[in-house]
Amino acid sequence: MEKNGYASWKIAVVGAGTMGLCIAQHFAMQGHEVRLYNRTPAHLETALSHIRSNMEGLVRYGMAEESDIESVLSRITPSSDIAASVADADYIVENVAEKPDVKKAVFAQIDAAARPDAILASDTSSMDIYRFIEVSHPERLLITHYFNPAYVMPLVEVVRGPETSDETVQSIHSFLESSGKTVAVLNKAISGFIINRFTAALSREACSMVEAGYVSFEDVDKAIVATYGPRFTFEGPCRLGDFVGLDVCAYVFNNLFPTLSNATSVSPLILKDVQEGKLGVKTGEGLCGSYKDPEAAYRDRDIRLIRTIKAIRDIGSQAE
């Protein structure tokens, strides 16, 4: 699989939606040739426009040079021919709709056209694709779950299937790290993988506390941002436990666990907003109030992410 080294790997991204275009951008920024497939040519034009806009944002905040814009775009070849898009790729990542029948059909096309040694992956955020995806070489099939925006967020969750080989996991692990990603490996496809499970647990407890009248959504977020925000940039809950002292953790948790929410359904606070069409930023109103300009809100959030990750990287390089 490695041929001339990871730097020469060619990438095929199947699906040019929000995640697909960002993944394509990431690898093009790392110098890889990328084929970006979408069934609809108009969507490809929109994707390239978004990539240009993303690059311009990176230039504004000192994370890219002006000359990088055209060089990155030149490495991305848009195509509406799936066979041609994947034929010579070393790594193929699928980003189509989260529907089993759609993914199954797309993987059948990929499998028919891909090289025998190519790594086949899905960017699904929670589905166990191994229950319904069939390919000629299941040992080279896995999940590589990126986070939005994928050209900025460092993490990729690599999720093994029951037949995924150690060689495939090691190859994709090394390749992704060579492209600047942080890799976390999950040995089995469980619901939500790693991060979405933690997010769900945290959100469930937040809603439970708000429902009981203990706190507001705004103050939950303030508390999280002012503690986990800086702390989780360099240590997770496991290492935090080491610093707190596992004896202290055991004592506190033993008393705390019985009081935590164990709800098995979505909070009525969330369901109420959903029923009223208050879906968050995209509709202009959500749990934490209104968003008068959704596009500006998304743009502001991405800028904060870009600045934060740049600062974290700068601090890390200074520490070394």
Side-chain angles (χ1 to χ4, degrees):
M1 287 182 185
E2 202 165 331
K3 286 189 177 179
N4 302 316
Y6 295 116
S8 67
W9 273 28
K10 296 179 180 179
I11 316 302
V13 180
V14 178
T18 300
M19 287 302 297
L21 70 89
C22 287
I23 293 170
Q25 177 181 343
H26 165 72
F27 287 113
M29 288 172 64
Q30 299 302 313
H32 294 279
E33 290 183 32
V34 181
R35 288 190 181 274
L36 179 59
Y37 165 82
N38 204 87
R39 184 171 55 87
T40 310
H43 287 172
L44 289 168
E45 293 179 14
T46 300
L48 293 175
S49 176
H50 278 301
I51 291 171
R52 180 179 292 279
S53 178
N54 291 342
M55 288 301 302
E56 290 170 349
L58 291 175
V59 171
R60 281 197 300 274
Y61 296 101
M63 296 184 73
E65 301 294 330
E66 186 75 36
S67 58
D68 292 334
I69 298 175
E70 295 306 326
S71 62
V72 164
L73 287 168
S74 71
R75 296 187 194 103
I76 301 173
T77 302
S79 173
S80 290
D81 183 335
I82 192 168
S85 298
V86 306
D88 65 347
D90 296 276
Y91 168 49
I92 302 162
V93 56
E94 165 271 316
N95 288 275
V96 299
E98 293 282 80
K99 297 179 180 179
D101 57 337
V102 175
K103 289 185 183 296
K104 187 172 183 176
V106 166
F107 266 99
Q109 296 178 72
I110 291 172
D111 188 44
R115 293 194 337 237
D117 63 339
I119 290 179
L120 311 182
S122 173
D123 180 44
T124 180
S125 60
S126 62
M127 296 179 72
D128 183 353
I129 64 166
Y130 307 110
R131 293 182 178 180
F132 56 86
I133 296 299
E134 297 178 1
V135 293
S136 303
H137 296 278
E139 73 277 4
R140 57 186 171 89
L141 174 69
L142 42 65
I143 292 167
T144 50
H145 177 221
Y146 296 77
F147 291 80
N148 191 36
Y151 65 95
V152 174
M153 296 294 283
L155 182 66
V156 179
E157 294 177 322
V158 171
V159 186
R160 300 180 67 126
E163 298 182 71
T164 308
S165 69
D166 291 340
E167 178 191 5
T168 297
V169 173
Q170 184 55 54
S171 290
I172 200 64
H173 192 294
S174 298
F175 167 66
L176 291 170
E177 284 194 335
S178 76
S179 78
K181 290 298 186 183
T182 299
V183 179
V185 177
L186 192 61
N187 292 318
K188 180 179 173 58
I190 57 175
S191 295
F193 307 150
I194 304 170
I195 296 303
N196 283 341
R197 289 178 77 91
F198 284 123
T199 301
L202 192 62
S203 296
R204 178 173 66 180
E205 191 59 34
C207 287
S208 175
M209 293 173 69
V210 174
E211 286 170 22
Y214 299 146
V215 67
S216 67
F217 281 120
E218 290 79 6
D219 281 348
V220 166
D221 279 7
K222 284 181 185 178
I224 294 295
V225 169
T227 51
Y228 291 158
R231 178 174 280 154
F232 280 6
T233 61
F234 63 90
E235 66 182 8
C238 303
R239 190 174 297 277
L240 173 60
D242 284 347
F243 277 94
V244 169
L246 298 181
D247 55 334
V248 175
C249 290
Y251 175 78
V252 172
F253 293 165
N254 191 54
N255 292 315
L256 182 59
F257 282 173
T259 74
L260 297 178
S261 172
N262 60 0
T264 58
S265 57
V266 177
S267 167
L269 296 178
I270 292 178
L271 292 177
K272 179 176 180 294
D273 273 8
V274 170
Q275 290 167 358
E276 294 176 358
K278 301 175 183 177
L279 307 182
V281 177
K282 62 184 178 182
T283 59
E285 191 170 1
L287 296 176
C288 294
S290 60
Y291 305 88
K292 295 181 179 179
D293 187 341
E295 284 192 19
Y298 281 119
R299 186 168 57 249
D300 178 67
R301 179 175 179 269
D302 284 355
I303 289 169
R304 288 171 185 265
L305 277 173
I306 291 168
R307 286 176 166 173
T308 299
I309 291 172
K310 183 177 186 299
I312 292 168
R313 287 173 176 166
D314 288 346
I315 292 170
S317 63
Q318 291 168 10
E320 293 172 1

